């Protein structure tokens, strides 16, 4: 008998728990609630629940579920946290963020117009009402600042100053930082009461480049 979409999702979540990438109930419930197949192109629907990155077109990718789980766990999310995502891509991670923080508290930015349209369409089809901005996320998004969390799903050469400025005291920046292509470290930086940052690294990762004024040149 073929498995239903829900069974595929439950199986993926069991696997991510077993390998200790999913550790908390909020992250587990988010993965159980968001249908990843609604965020991948038609030709990849069958691969939606494999633990692998997938092409979404225009040279961009949706990260592997294990990488997304790791990022969500280190982000220490909870309902009510104002969260800015840089690199909306397919909208899948924004939907997971909305599931945990509340959709009214999530803003996501995408710089490629075609990807932005793909994201809007996916979020609509999946039933989410999340603010999606078309623009250069290396400058953050002043209008909704300050944020409790700024999460970049594109690889930065360094943490842009605007993200530091738009973060609340006690807030976290989560971003892959390192080389333009193929190797970065996952950084988590906390804003201290005196305005300085306390930074930890959570291992190697591979993300597409953050392209923009305070990021990489195209
Ligand atoms: N979070 C996405 C994965 C995104 S891949 C998901 O769940 O599917 C990274 C995305 O960052 C790409 O779509 C890329 O176009 C976008 N990006 C790169 N530089 C950017 C910038 N300066 N501002 C906003 N988006 C950017």
């Amino acid at each position: 008998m073929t498995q239903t979409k829900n069974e595929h999702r439950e199986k993926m979540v069991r696997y991510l728990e077993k390998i200790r990438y999913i550790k908390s109930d909020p992250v587990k419930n988010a993965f159980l609630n968001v249908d990843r197949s609604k965020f991948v192109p038609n030709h990849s629907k069958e691969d939606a629940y494999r633990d692998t990155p997938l092409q979404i077109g225009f040279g961009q990718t949706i990260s592997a579920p294990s990488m997304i789980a790791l990022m969500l766990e280190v982000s220490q999310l909870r309902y009510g946290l104002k969260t800015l995502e840089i690199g909306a891509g397919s909208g899948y991670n924004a939907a997971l963020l909305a599931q945990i923080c509340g959709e009214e508290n999530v803003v996501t930015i995408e710089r490629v117009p075609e990807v932005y349209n793909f994201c809007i369409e996916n979020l609509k089809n999946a039933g989410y009402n999340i603010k999606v901005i078309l623009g250069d996320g290396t400058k953050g998004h002043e209008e909704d600042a300050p944020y409790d969390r700024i999460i970049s799903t594109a690889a930065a050469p360094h943490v842009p100053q605007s993200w530091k400025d738009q973060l609340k005291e006690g807030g976290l920046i989560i971003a892959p930082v390192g080389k333009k292509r193929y190797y970065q470290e996952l950084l988590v930086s906390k804003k201290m009461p005196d305005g300085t940052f306390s930074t930890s690294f959570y291992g190697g990762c591979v993300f597409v480049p953050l392209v923009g004024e305070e990021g990489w040149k195209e």
Side-chain angles (χ1 to χ4, degrees), residues 66-141:
S66 52
M67 190 64 232
I68 298 173
L70 175 69
M71 271 190 114
L72 292 176
E73 291 290 3
V74 299
S75 301
Q76 300 174 47
L77 301 167
R78 59 180 183 276
Y79 180 77
L81 291 185
K82 184 98 197 152
T83 301
L84 175 68
E85 183 195 34
I86 318 293
S90 67
Y92 178 60
N93 193 48
L96 293 168
L97 292 170
Q99 211 56 58
I100 302 173
C101 303
E103 62 182 2
E104 68 284 12
N105 296 311
V106 177
V107 180
T108 185
I109 311 185
E110 175 55 52
R111 68 173 277 274
V112 179
E114 293 86 348
V115 177
Y116 165 83
N117 290 333
F118 178 63
C119 176
I120 300 259
E121 195 60 23
N122 293 341
L123 286 170
K124 197 174 91 194
N125 290 339
Y128 290 91
N129 183 14
I130 295 171
K131 186 165 177 181
V132 187
I133 309 289
L134 176 63
D136 176 7
T138 66
K139 292 184 279 184
H141 182 62

Side-chain angles (χ1 to χ4, degrees), residues 6-21:
N6 236 341
E7 285 165 350
H8 282 299
R9 223 177 305 162
E10 281 168 16
K11 198 171 155 195
M12 180 180 81
V13 167
R14 277 199 301 276
Y15 166 75
L16 293 174
E17 279 188 303
K18 199 171 138 210
I19 62 171
R20 303 285 298 139
Y21 277 74

Side-chain angles (χ1 to χ4, degrees), residues 46 58 66 89 151 191:
E46 284 196 2
F58 310 96
S66 52
I151 302 178
K191 192 167 186 174

Side-chain angles (χ1 to χ4, degrees), residues 5 9-10 24 27 50 67 70 79 84 93 113 117 123 133 143 165 171 174 184 187 200 203 206 213:
K5 276 204 276 195
R9 223 177 305 162
E10 281 168 16
S24 68
V27 173
R50 287 181 53 219
M67 190 64 232
L70 175 69
Y79 180 77
L84 175 68
N93 193 48
N117 290 333
L123 286 170
I133 309 289
E143 194 183 304
D165 295 342
I174 299 91
Q184 302 95 28
L187 161 151
S200 314
V206 176
E213 215 167 276

